[in-house]
Amino acid sequence: MMLSASMSSLTRSSLEEMLESLRRRDEEERPKDLPPALPARPPSRARLPPARRSLPNNFKVDGEMGHRRKGSFGNKKIKMDVESPYVVLSEEKVREQSAPDPVSTSNVSSTDCEAPPPSGELEDDNVAYFIRKKLHVWCRQPRGKWELGTIQSTSGEEATVSLSNGNVMKVARSELLPANPDILEGVEDLIQLSYLNEPSVLHNLRFRYSQDMIYSKAGPILIALNPFKDVQIYGNDYISAYRQKLMDSPHVYAMADAAYNEMMRDEVNQSIIISGESGSGKTETAKIAMQYLAALGGGCSGIENEVLQTNFILEAFGNAKTSRNDNSSRFGKLIEIHFSTMGKICGAKIQTFLLEKSRVVQLALGERSYHIFYQLCAGSSSDLKERLNLRVASEYKYLNQSDCMTIDGVDDAKKFHRLMKALDVIRMCKEDQELVFKMLAAILWLGNISFEVTDNENHIEVVNDEAVTNAALLMGCSSQELMAALSTHKIQAGKDTITKTLTLRQAIDARDALAKFIYASLFDWLVVQVNKSLEVGKRRTGRSISILDIYGFESFQNNSFEQFCINYANERLQQHFNRHLFKLEQEDYELDGIDWTKVDFEDNQKCLDLFEKKPLGLFSLLDEESNFPRASDLTLANKLKQHLHTNPCFKGERGRAFSVCHYAGEVLYDTTGFLEKNRDPLPSDSIQLLSSCSCELLQLFSKMLNQSQKQSNSLHGGALDSQKQSVGTKFKGQLFKLMHQLESTTPHFIRCIKPNTKQLPRIYDEDLVLQQLKCCGVLEVVRISRAGYPTRMTHQEFSRRYGFLLSEANTSQDPLSISVAVLQQFNIPPEMYQVGFTKLYLRTGQIGALEDRRKQLLQGILGVQKSFRSYQACRHYHELKKGVTTLQSFVRGEIARREYGVMVKSSMTISSENIEEIKAVIILQSVIRGWLVRKHASGLNKFKKYPENAKPRRKSRVKMPEVKDVSSERVQNLPSALAELQRRVVKAEATIEQKEEENAELKEQLKQFESRWIEYEKRMKSMEEMWQKQMASLQMSLAAARKSLASENASAQLARRDVASPLGYESEDATSMGSRTPPRTPGASTPLKYSSSLSEAAGRDANGTLTSVSNLMKEFEQRRQTFDDDARALVEVKTGQSANTNSVEELRKLKHMFEGWKKEYKARLRETKTRLHKLGNSEMDKSRRTWWGKLSSRAL
């Protein structure tokens, strides 16, 4: 007995003993109202679906609900026969009865019910329930599609269903599946679906796709349907919304944000694995994820912008148009973005895998080569085209063999300019850029080199045309060297060298091999240059997010070596997917003691073994056959069929073909070209040609190849040199390295789905989508996610992270007790978590409440700490301010005392100077007094000599004391006198300043008067000139009048009156002219003086007209001469003198005189005119008017 007990105790683990001891101790010591340290873990309840599922999955008559149906989506390999809560609960009851546990039974919810009746009766009840409630079901059509309908009635194994289009049809009950209620239409996560089956998933994705909601969740997977159009769900606004957690709908931004947050929180590297078929949108999805990470890492400047610009470079050189995708990635890439401790991007590294080199020289109909060739031909400048001898793309054989030069909606010229900017951003110099373009142009001209057959044995020679010349010029070699390398092959036989002419096929292969090698080497060199610009260096922190964008699964009508490698890579990625979402998760549940019903899934390990197994795997057999010089593609196909016919994933076909059953379906491969592409040979003559070229890049490529060959073990020599590893083996090694790198990260999966093959928006092909979903294993993932526990943490991590949330101190400080206490305090239902041996497992969404509460509490703690620190800082500031104020007071006192001491010393110096001045004044006074005394003494002596001066003597005697008194008073009043003198000096200085200001004002006025006087002089001169002209016109008028009067034969009295009249008019006209001139014109005074003489003449009794006219002329001349003399005298006297008030007054008087003369002269002219009209008769009046009109027009 003792032995058996000891053996039983040994079988128990130390953890179980610890848990048992903790349970016993807590039951004894802890009060009954506290939660137990280790509550019961109802394993089956943890797998319960939501209670709203009224129709179980065993809806069918046979009870398996389509699990037997071949090709069903995600159900055919599920060992869980049902998802019904009734069946699960019945199993719980059976287990509880077989192994009763008082603790666990006490925690079972009161809602648990008894086991349901047998499956047949339950099915009938559920069918009746669906008929009664008129619930929707999915009905499979004869063509395989699913239609929505309602069950009308049942009869045996058949059911009558009314479809949504109004048709009624009878179907087998095995072809019916329950549909989800309308409230669940278009849910974001497929986990939320009540019934998880093919039609429900397809319908949910179709509904969201029709609403432009292209992203959906399937547990941890993000499903992205390619919209084939621009969808307005990207940009800075959406980035900010996801960064601030304002949006939580499925999105690439949300996936990238989750990866970033986990990296910063857990300090574990992350990876975003993007997979899908060709044309499903993987490349665009990768760019969107990089844009979000760049925004999180500090915006689009600096290294972040460089990381984004690499997409344009890699797309131009690594993407091409295929029959299924206009921008297909023909290589795989892993972009590893490194972050600093502050979460900012500090660098990146790019790894590439298996570039499709054959696309450079061979194209299928309707496809294009790499974008860069077309962009270079369309967007390069005229100078660059001239330097590279470029033509249009249609003139190059490597490009025009597919009859596809452009892509709809794509401008190759704009793409080229964008590429140039990207090359500038990564700091590639212009010389290197031109070298790259030179190599591209050389490849295009190599393709135009043609050969001519010279004999019956198909030997050739190179046609020496412009293609050879241009290619040799761009490569930096002579045309003869290039022609020799492409048409001959040198064989070393001992010490002799044998030159052999190549056949047409060999020459074409040599030319194409050279072009492929140059392009592949150029691509690798570009990646190296990009990595140098993005190098992390010493800033490496170990935190990174890797984005994998690799070619999708491909299955064409003719699948060659490239599709063989691409599909193998997808198999390896699918295994990584299965490992993390199925294998590791379920193994973790089993190892940690979690009660879990295992979910089976499509494991592709057998297919991977077919590729990788040694020595009878596809790659091993391919390498083995590649080493035989005489091996052919047919011998390879036969060898594969011979050794692999027993493998269930391999199927031999006729001829050179064989089939492989991949996870995504069966693919037929043609071994034509397998050996040549796997060897990837480059003739030794081409290698020597490259090493002799003057182009720096070609020399570098040759050195790299020589280094690789030195490290290789050549399996055979001759015409073809074999590198150390074949292409397939090298690619497998790269893939293994990639998988090892991804294994050290936390993966995030994005499955891109192509909704149709036409690449058109709003077209949803259910069969195509279903095929891709099956390849992903979406239903299995959703089942595990819904039944599993995606959040898992060790007890130590959980207690350390959330233990401080407990409202009361926990007596037991062990991590397990703290973790359970936290869960119970936040009322997390027992079915939403399970406690393992080492970890705590939580369902989806449960950790969010704890994180929110933790964040809220931490924010509160930070607020308290902030307030306390603020209080401390304020108190310290006030103390410091008080101390500084005290210190400043002492310093100011010391400064004041020093300044006072300096002031006292200076005042003493000033007082000493004043004393010296006083002494000097006293000496001066003493001298003056001495002089006065001596003067007084001399007066006394005179008074003694002359007694008559006694009286004045007495006066002087009386005055002497006064003088002494005055002197003494002057000595006493000397300071006040000095002050008075100082005041007078100040007053005098102020007066001087005032006088100087007045003097300045007077000078300014003088300048103004001088300028005015100059202006007046100018005006007077102009008026004088005008008056002289008017006088001349008047003289001419008078002379004409005199002549007309002399010639008159009429009576003297009448004739003289007639002659006087026009003179009056002319004078009046002259007056009018004078009045229209400016009054300040000097010449205006002449007609005024003349008007006065005319008025005097008019007052007299003219005895004759001639005598009157003569008198008027004389008077006019006198007045004119007088005014001219006065004006000239005024100008001459004032010239050179400064303008003053008198000159202005004289000019003003002259103006008034002119105005008075003008009025008087005008009045007298009118009187003369009236008088002359009275004396004239009608005939003379007519002639006079005619003459006057002529004279007036002449005057005008």
Side-chain angles (χ1 to χ4, degrees):
M1 294 293 294
M2 293 294 295
L3 182 60
S4 62
S6 62
M7 290 298 294
S8 63
S9 62
L10 288 175
T11 57
R12 300 180 63 185
S13 65
S14 59
L15 179 60
E16 292 176 345
E17 293 178 356
M18 181 189 71
L19 295 177
E20 185 66 25
S21 62
L22 290 174
R23 185 182 293 109
R24 287 196 303 267
R25 186 189 66 183
D26 292 340
E27 290 176 356
E28 294 174 358
E29 298 179 359
R30 181 175 296 181
K32 293 183 179 180
D33 55 346
L34 293 179
L38 184 61
R41 306 191 309 268
S44 59
R45 283 185 59 82
R47 300 192 311 275
L48 285 179
R52 63 175 178 268
R53 299 184 185 180
S54 57
L55 183 63
N57 284 351
N58 60 350
F59 177 72
K60 300 180 182 179
V61 178
D62 54 10
E64 295 185 16
M65 206 199 77
H67 288 253
R68 299 180 306 169
R69 190 169 60 247
K70 184 175 181 181
S72 77
F73 178 39
N75 294 330
K76 63 181 180 180
K77 294 218 172 179
I78 303 300
K79 291 184 179 179
M80 297 170 57
D81 292 335
V82 294
E83 285 185 328
S84 170
Y86 310 106
V87 177
V88 174
L89 287 177
S90 65
E91 294 176 357
E92 282 188 17
K93 295 293 183 179
V94 172
R95 284 195 293 270
E96 289 173 4
Q97 292 176 3
S98 61
D101 185 34
V103 178
S104 61
T105 54
S106 63
N107 287 277
V108 175
S109 174
S110 60
T111 59
D112 296 345
C113 58
E114 296 180 357
S119 60
E121 298 178 6
L122 181 63
E123 280 185 8
D124 294 336
D125 292 342
N126 282 300
V127 170
Y129 178 79
F130 263 64
I131 295 174
R132 184 172 65 255
K133 295 294 185 179
K134 296 183 179 180
L135 299 179
H136 291 293
V137 294
W138 291 106
C139 175
R140 184 188 290 272
Q141 299 295 306
R143 293 174 296 176
K145 292 189 177 181
W146 295 91
E147 290 288 343
L148 201 63
T150 56
I151 302 175
Q152 300 293 326
S153 62
T154 59
S155 174
E157 296 297 327
E158 287 187 346
T160 303
V161 180
S162 175
L163 301 179
S164 56
N165 55 12
N167 296 333
V168 178
M169 62 179 300
K170 292 183 178 182
V171 295
R173 294 177 63 173
S174 60
E175 300 296 331
L176 296 178
L177 290 177
N180 292 284
D182 294 340
I183 195 174
L184 296 179
E185 190 172 31
V187 293
E188 296 178 346
D189 197 336
L190 298 180
I191 291 179
Q192 301 173 10
L193 294 177
S194 299
Y195 304 108
L196 190 64
N197 45 50
E198 292 178 10
S200 296
V201 171
L202 289 174
H203 177 73
N204 194 77
L205 294 178
R206 173 194 280 274
F207 179 83
R208 292 181 61 81
Y209 183 71
S210 64
Q211 303 295 323
D212 286 339
M213 295 183 288
I214 61 175
Y215 296 112
S216 302
K217 290 293 293 294
I221 305 175
L222 177 67
I223 298 177
L225 274 75
N226 192 343
F228 294 113
K229 66 176 183 178
D230 292 333
V231 183
Q232 303 301 322
I233 56 174
Y234 308 104
N236 294 330
D237 295 338
Y238 283 89
I239 290 175
S240 301
Y242 279 96
R243 288 180 65 179
Q244 301 172 10
K245 303 296 186 294
L246 301 178
M247 297 180 66
D248 58 353
S249 57
H251 202 287
V252 178
Y253 291 163
M255 183 68 75
D257 187 75
Y260 179 83
N261 292 333
E262 288 187 26
M263 178 195 68
M264 298 301 297
R265 182 188 64 198
D266 302 333
E267 298 184 0
V268 177
N269 292 341
Q270 308 290 311
S271 61
I272 300 176
I273 301 174
I274 305 171
S275 59
E277 288 191 4
S278 178
S280 58
K282 298 185 299 298
T283 301
E284 293 299 321
T285 303
K287 289 194 291 186
I288 294 169
M290 290 175 64
Q291 289 172 2
Y292 186 81
L293 293 177
L296 290 181
C300 290
S301 60
I303 192 68
E304 299 85 6
N305 189 31
E306 291 184 30
V307 172
L308 294 179
Q309 293 300 320
T310 58
N311 288 318
F312 301 111
I313 301 173
L314 296 177
E315 278 190 22
F317 287 86
N319 287 30
K321 180 185 183 303
T322 65
S323 59
R324 296 187 178 183
N325 187 4
D326 290 342
N327 189 31
S328 177
S329 297
R330 307 317 299 165
F331 72 106
K333 66 174 178 290
L334 178 71
I335 303 177
E336 188 177 359
I337 304 175
H338 294 270
F339 294 83
S340 64
T341 54
M342 300 301 296
K344 302 300 180 181
I345 294 179
C346 60
K349 183 181 179 181
I350 299 175
Q351 301 178 38
T352 58
F353 312 97
L354 191 65
L355 177 71
E356 187 183 8
K357 295 188 290 186
S358 61
R359 183 168 291 272
V360 177
V361 300
Q362 185 178 0
L363 298 176
L365 188 65
E367 296 188 354
R368 293 207 320 176
S369 185
Y370 292 101
H371 296 323
I372 183 60
F373 292 114
Y374 307 91
Q375 295 172 5
L376 178 64
C377 294
S380 56
S381 63
S382 57
D383 295 338
L384 182 60
K385 288 182 178 179
E386 185 177 355
R387 290 195 299 271
L388 303 181
N389 296 322
L390 272 179
R391 306 285 177 81
V392 294
S394 58
E395 295 188 19
Y396 294 107
K397 295 180 181 178
Y398 278 164
L399 304 182
N400 61 19
Q401 57 182 307
S402 64
D403 294 333
C404 180
M405 295 290 109
T406 59
I407 302 175
D408 295 337
V410 177
D411 190 342
D412 289 321
K414 290 184 178 179
K415 292 282 187 179
F416 182 75
H417 297 319
R418 200 167 187 178
L419 171 66
M420 297 286 286
K421 293 181 180 179
L423 293 175
D424 293 335
V425 169
I426 67 168
R427 300 184 295 279
M428 179 180 288
C429 62
K430 295 296 182 181
E431 292 77 9
D432 288 346
Q433 293 182 25
E434 186 155 343
L435 280 177
V436 172
F437 300 144
K438 186 180 291 186
M439 292 298 96
L440 295 173
I443 293 172
L444 293 177
W445 283 114
L446 279 175
N448 280 12
I449 295 177
S450 58
F451 305 98
E452 182 180 0
V453 179
T454 58
D455 54 22
N456 296 331
E457 295 181 0
N458 210 19
H459 292 152
I460 54 91
E461 65 180 11
V462 180
V463 178
N464 190 4
D465 54 7
E466 64 169 351
V468 175
T469 304
N470 292 333
L473 180 64
L474 294 169
M475 293 174 64
C477 63
S478 65
S479 300
Q480 298 301 323
E481 291 176 343
L482 179 59
M483 293 169 63
L486 296 181
S487 61
T488 62
H489 180 61
K490 295 179 181 180
I491 302 175
Q492 193 72 25
K495 295 182 180 180
D496 299 330
T497 302
I498 302 174
T499 302
K500 181 181 178 182
T501 305
L502 299 179
T503 62
L504 180 60
R505 182 71 263 169
Q506 290 174 342
I508 293 174
D509 290 342
R511 179 198 64 187
D512 293 346
L514 180 60
K516 291 189 292 183
F517 174 78
I518 294 175
Y519 190 82
S521 301
L522 179 64
F523 183 80
D524 294 338
W525 180 82
L526 272 174
V527 174
V528 172
Q529 301 306 310
V530 170
N531 284 333
K532 286 181 180 179
S533 68
L534 303 178
E535 192 173 5
V536 182
K538 296 181 180 180
R539 298 173 295 175
R540 183 183 297 273
T541 60
R543 298 180 180 179
S544 67
I545 297 179
S546 301
I547 300 177
L548 179 64
D549 174 20
I550 202 165
Y551 14 60
F553 187 84
E554 293 183 350
S555 178
F556 301 115
Q557 187 175 359
N558 184 19
N559 299 285
S560 185
F561 180 75
E562 290 80 12
Q563 284 70 41
F564 179 78
C565 294
I566 288 172
N567 292 339
Y568 164 65
N570 280 270
E571 285 286 351
R572 177 50 66 184
L573 287 177
Q574 181 67 21
Q575 178 69 10
H576 182 72
F577 175 82
N578 294 339
R579 174 176 171 79
H580 280 271
L581 294 183
F582 298 112
K583 289 184 178 180
L584 293 181
E585 186 164 353
Q586 298 195 89
E587 289 176 4
D588 198 9
Y589 292 158
E590 293 176 359
L591 292 176
D592 216 22
I594 300 299
D595 192 359
W596 172 258
T597 302
K598 190 173 182 179
V599 177
D600 286 342
F601 57 91
E602 273 307 330
D603 192 359
N604 64 337
Q605 186 60 48
K606 291 182 179 180
C607 186
L608 285 176
D609 292 340
L610 173 65
F611 278 88
E612 300 170 353
K613 191 176 180 180
K614 293 182 179 181
L616 298 179
L618 287 173
F619 281 113
S620 299
L621 295 174
L622 178 60
D623 288 346
E624 181 181 344
E625 195 70 10
S626 298
N627 293 331
F628 293 106
R630 296 185 178 182
S632 64
D633 299 327
L634 182 59
T635 60
L636 172 64
N638 294 332
K639 177 174 285 190
L640 295 179
K641 297 172 187 177
Q642 178 183 356
H643 293 88
L644 302 176
H645 67 279
T646 58
N647 193 302
C649 296
F650 181 85
K651 183 179 179 181
E653 302 291 345
R654 290 183 178 180
R656 302 175 182 178
F658 67 94
S659 298
V660 176
C661 295
H662 291 280
Y663 74 95
E666 186 175 310
V667 179
L668 179 65
Y669 296 100
D670 187 359
T671 59
T672 303
F674 262 55
L675 294 177
E676 194 72 13
K677 293 177 181 178
N678 188 48
R679 293 167 181 161
D680 192 23
L682 183 65
S684 57
D685 299 276
S686 299
I687 299 174
Q688 294 177 3
L689 174 68
L690 293 176
S691 60
S692 64
C693 292
S694 61
C695 180
E696 298 177 1
L697 280 180
L698 292 180
Q699 292 179 359
L700 178 63
F701 300 160
S702 176
K703 290 179 182 179
M704 295 172 59
L705 182 61
N706 290 331
Q707 291 176 0
S708 175
Q709 285 187 348
K710 287 179 181 179
Q711 299 173 358
S712 65
N713 297 321
S714 297
L715 300 178
H716 62 276
L720 298 175
D721 296 326
S722 175
Q723 299 182 10
K724 181 180 181 180
Q725 288 182 335
S726 64
V727 174
T729 303
K730 183 179 179 180
F731 178 63
K732 184 173 71 172
Q734 290 179 341
L735 207 56
F736 276 22
K737 183 180 178 181
L738 172 64
M739 293 298 108
H740 179 73
Q741 185 173 349
L742 294 178
E743 283 292 333
S744 62
T745 64
T746 301
H748 302 266
F749 296 98
I750 301 178
R751 288 288 190 177
C752 297
I753 303 296
K754 182 167 62 174
N756 62 82
T757 57
K758 298 180 181 179
Q759 302 183 26
L760 295 175
R762 295 193 175 277
I763 298 178
Y764 186 86
D765 188 346
E766 290 188 352
D767 294 334
L768 180 63
V769 173
L770 180 60
Q771 178 189 0
Q772 297 173 75
L773 291 176
K774 284 182 178 181
C775 297
C776 304
V778 169
L779 273 182
E780 289 86 344
V781 172
V782 174
R783 288 180 186 278
I784 287 184
S785 300
R786 187 159 61 181
Y789 306 89
T791 305
R792 61 202 67 181
M793 301 177 70
T794 63
H795 301 307
Q796 290 80 5
E797 292 175 349
F798 190 87
S799 60
R800 183 169 57 251
R801 186 170 183 84
Y802 304 108
F804 71 96
L805 298 178
L806 290 174
S807 57
E808 298 180 2
N810 197 344
T811 56
S812 295
Q813 296 301 319
D814 62 281
L816 180 59
S817 301
I818 295 174
S819 300
V820 175
V822 169
L823 293 174
Q824 293 188 357
Q825 177 175 315
F826 286 91
N827 298 322
I828 296 180
E831 61 269 16
M832 303 309 292
Y833 69 90
Q834 284 204 44
V835 180
F837 296 142
T838 60
K839 296 179 183 178
L840 189 67
Y841 297 82
L842 296 129
R843 286 192 181 278
T844 303
Q846 300 306 310
I847 201 68
L850 297 177
E851 279 294 323
D852 293 341
R853 179 57 181 166
R854 179 178 180 271
K855 184 177 180 180
Q856 181 182 1
L857 190 59
L858 287 178
Q859 288 178 348
I861 293 172
L862 289 177
V864 173
Q865 291 177 348
K866 179 177 66 177
S867 301
F868 181 71
R869 292 192 187 101
S870 175
Y871 167 74
Q872 282 186 326
C874 291
R875 188 177 66 179
H876 178 67
Y877 169 74
H878 289 302
E879 292 177 354
L880 186 63
K881 182 179 178 181
K882 184 177 179 181
V884 170
T885 304
T886 304
L887 181 61
Q888 288 177 347
S889 64
F890 283 113
V891 173
R892 290 193 187 99
E894 181 64 24
I895 293 173
R897 285 188 288 273
R898 291 183 181 180
E899 290 179 352
Y900 177 75
V902 173
M903 185 179 63
V904 169
K905 291 180 180 180
S906 62
S907 63
M908 292 175 64
T909 304
I910 294 173
S911 61
S912 63
E913 293 176 356
N914 293 335
I915 292 172
E916 292 177 357
E917 292 178 358
I918 292 172
K919 288 181 178 180
V921 171
I922 292 173
I923 293 172
L924 181 60
Q925 289 177 352
S926 65
V927 173
I928 293 173
R929 290 192 192 99
W931 177 76
L932 290 174
V933 170
R934 284 190 294 274
K935 183 179 179 181
H936 182 64
S938 63
L940 289 177
N941 292 333
K942 290 180 181 180
F943 182 74
K944 289 179 181 180
K945 291 180 180 182
Y946 306 101
E948 61 271 13
N949 293 335
K951 189 174 181 179
R953 180 182 177 181
R954 285 196 299 269
K955 292 181 179 179
S956 63
R957 286 179 180 176
V958 176
K959 292 179 180 179
M960 283 299 294
E962 293 179 0
V963 173
K964 292 182 178 178
D965 295 338
V966 170
S967 299
S968 60
E969 289 177 0
R970 287 179 180 177
V971 172
Q972 294 175 359
N973 296 332
L974 184 60
S976 60
L978 289 174
E980 182 65 24
L981 288 174
Q982 290 178 355
R983 284 195 298 271
R984 290 180 181 179
V985 169
V986 172
K987 186 175 181 181
E989 289 178 351
T991 305
I992 290 172
E993 292 179 356
Q994 184 177 2
K995 295 299 181 181
E996 288 179 352
E997 294 177 356
E998 293 177 357
N999 190 16
E1001 293 178 358
L1002 291 175
K1003 287 181 179 180
E1004 186 67 26
Q1005 292 179 2
L1006 182 61
K1007 290 180 180 179
Q1008 295 178 359
F1009 287 140
E1010 287 177 353
S1011 61
R1012 289 178 183 177
W1013 178 248
I1014 292 171
E1015 185 179 357
Y1016 291 154
E1017 285 182 346
K1018 291 180 180 179
R1019 290 180 180 178
M1020 291 175 68
K1021 288 180 181 180
S1022 62
M1023 291 173 67
E1024 184 179 2
E1025 292 175 357
M1026 185 180 296
W1027 285 346
Q1028 288 177 359
K1029 292 179 180 179
Q1030 291 177 359
M1031 291 300 111
S1033 64
L1034 289 174
Q1035 288 176 0
M1036 292 174 64
S1037 301
L1038 291 174
R1042 188 184 296 132
K1043 289 179 182 180
S1044 62
L1045 288 174
S1047 63
E1048 287 290 340
N1049 294 326
S1051 62
Q1053 193 174 12
L1054 182 61
R1056 288 167 185 167
R1057 291 176 182 175
D1058 292 336
V1059 173
S1061 178
L1063 179 62
Y1065 283 106
E1066 177 65 25
S1067 302
E1068 188 175 0
D1069 282 351
T1071 305
S1072 301
M1073 291 174 64
S1075 64
R1076 283 193 296 268
T1077 58
R1080 290 173 288 182
T1081 308
S1085 62
T1086 304
L1088 291 175
K1089 289 183 178 181
Y1090 176 71
S1091 66
S1092 63
S1093 64
L1094 187 61
S1095 63
E1096 293 176 358
R1100 301 174 184 175
D1101 289 330
N1103 295 323
T1105 304
L1106 292 172
T1107 305
S1108 300
V1109 170
S1110 299
N1111 292 334
L1112 287 173
M1113 289 181 64
K1114 291 178 181 179
E1115 187 67 23
F1116 179 80
E1117 290 293 335
Q1118 292 176 359
R1119 290 292 184 179
R1120 184 180 67 80
Q1121 187 66 33
T1122 302
F1123 185 83
D1124 290 341
D1125 294 338
D1126 293 338
R1128 191 177 297 106
L1130 181 62
V1131 173
E1132 291 174 354
V1133 170
K1134 299 303 178 180
T1135 302
Q1137 299 179 1
S1138 61
N1140 52 24
T1141 309
N1142 295 330
S1143 63
V1144 177
E1145 290 295 331
E1146 290 175 3
L1147 186 61
R1148 196 175 287 127
K1149 289 179 182 180
L1150 182 63
K1151 178 181 178 182
H1152 290 314
M1153 290 173 62
F1154 172 75
E1155 294 290 341
W1157 288 338
K1158 183 178 72 172
K1159 291 179 181 179
E1160 185 179 2
Y1161 178 68
K1162 192 173 183 180
R1164 290 178 181 177
L1165 281 179
R1166 288 175 181 173
E1167 292 176 0
T1168 304
K1169 181 179 179 182
T1170 304
R1171 214 170 29 246
L1172 289 175
H1173 276 290
K1174 291 179 181 180
L1175 295 176
N1177 54 22
S1178 60
E1179 292 181 1
M1180 295 302 295
D1181 186 36
K1182 182 177 180 181
S1183 62
R1184 184 178 66 250
R1185 289 177 181 174
T1186 304
W1187 175 84
W1188 179 257
K1190 294 180 180 179
L1191 187 62
S1192 299
S1193 62
R1194 196 179 304 157
L1196 293 173

